Amino acid sequence: MQPMHLTDLIDREVLQKIQDSFAAATRLHVLTRDASGAPVTEPSLPAWLCTLLSCEKLRSLCGEPLSAEAARAWTPSPGRPFAVVRLTEPIERDGERLGVLEMEGILAHGHPPQECVADLAGQLGVEPGELHAAVPDIVVAGMEQADRAADLLRSIAEVLSALCERAYDSSRRLREISALWEASKLVSQTRDPQERLDILTRITVEVLGVKGCLIRLLDEANGELVVKSVYNLSEE
């Protein structure tokens, strides 16, 4: 059976709406990725300063995004008054990772001094007043605020995981019903017992997603179970 992908279980438009709602509540940059790390949604940019998170100049000033653990150890300096903190939570189904919900914010300890903001604005090529006014909308003032956002991120990821589980169960039931219908149709089309057994072994593999299947029938003459039908298994 082919591996399931996040967008097989949750419509991309639904993912985008859930992500946008979360971003609007936190005023932070949010993105959903699949298991390979590729984006499956458009970034949610609820505040103007969010767009700067993809700015190469800001990335060079802030350095690589920090994990929550690394962010706790980070301290600002005159040359680096900001850092970018990235928090992620897995979207899973039955222990299998289908994707991640990713949140980024600009980290600062308290509100940065005006001269730091002015210097950053000059390096980014924007008006200091515009940048200074936008900073409170997106800056994660400390890890306490980041932890609150992380709790909400975790809750949203858990909801998405639950939706994936339900969607998978519905899809599996539909596959089983379709396979049973096909099996009953095929079996009714032949009177040959061997053909019927061969149909059942094949359908079993397709429905359960296993490697192979065999059927043994009891030989009443000697009381032994004898292989009568094999699908996708070698003689060994």
Side-chain angles (χ1 to χ4, degrees):
M1 187 167 58
Q2 293 294 323
M4 299 297 289
H5 299 283
L6 181 59
T7 49
D8 292 333
L9 301 173
I10 305 180
D11 184 76
R12 196 182 304 269
E13 185 177 347
V14 173
L15 283 171
Q16 188 72 55
K17 288 180 178 179
I18 292 173
Q19 173 189 296
D20 289 346
S21 297
F22 171 64
T26 59
R27 306 285 290 170
L28 296 172
H29 180 287
V30 186
L31 182 66
T32 306
R33 300 183 183 274
D34 64 16
S36 71
V40 295
T41 57
E42 294 296 323
S44 298
L45 308 173
W48 169 78
L49 196 54
C50 282
T51 59
L52 292 180
L53 285 170
S54 58
C55 172
E56 185 177 340
K57 184 64 177 178
L58 182 60
R59 291 291 192 184
S60 66
L61 292 171
C62 293
E64 289 298 313
L66 304 175
S67 65
E69 183 178 354
R72 286 186 173 86
W74 174 78
T75 55
S77 64
R80 191 185 178 191
F82 300 102
V84 174
V85 59
R86 175 184 293 165
L87 305 176
T88 62
E89 284 293 333
I91 302 169
E92 299 177 323
R93 190 206 68 79
D94 196 26
E96 176 187 1
R97 178 167 293 200
L98 300 172
V100 294
L101 193 59
E102 177 183 287
M103 177 188 74
E104 287 187 346
I106 297 176
L107 181 66
H109 290 285
H111 196 58
Q114 290 192 12
E115 57 271 21
C116 290
V117 175
D119 180 61
L120 181 62
Q123 296 186 62
L124 294 174
V126 298
E127 290 295 326
E130 187 179 15
L131 181 58
H132 198 277
V135 164
D137 282 341
I138 190 175
V139 164
V140 180
M143 284 312 298
E144 182 179 350
Q145 182 182 347
D147 286 340
R148 289 197 299 270
D151 288 341
L152 182 55
L153 185 75
R154 189 176 304 109
S155 297
I156 299 298
E158 288 173 354
V159 168
L160 291 174
S161 296
L163 289 175
C164 286
E165 192 67 49
R166 290 188 179 186
Y168 179 82
D169 287 343
S170 297
S171 175
R172 183 185 61 189
R173 291 191 190 102
L174 181 59
R175 290 197 307 272
E176 290 173 350
I177 291 171
S178 298
L180 289 172
W181 176 82
E182 181 186 356
S184 64
K185 183 178 67 173
L186 292 174
V187 167
S188 67
Q189 291 174 352
T190 178
R191 294 182 177 275
D192 184 346
Q194 186 59 52
E195 285 189 28
R196 291 184 172 186
L197 291 176
D198 292 342
I199 289 169
L200 292 175
T201 51
R202 177 177 63 81
I203 292 295
T204 298
V205 170
E206 292 175 357
V207 172
L208 298 181
V210 294
K211 178 184 176 182
C213 175
L214 62 83
I215 294 178
R216 299 175 189 265
L217 296 182
L218 180 65
D219 186 336
E220 295 183 354
N222 56 27
E224 294 183 356
L225 289 171
V226 180
V227 174
K228 289 295 185 179
S229 179
V230 178
Y231 184 81
N232 206 33
L233 292 175
S234 68
E235 290 294 329
E236 292 76 15

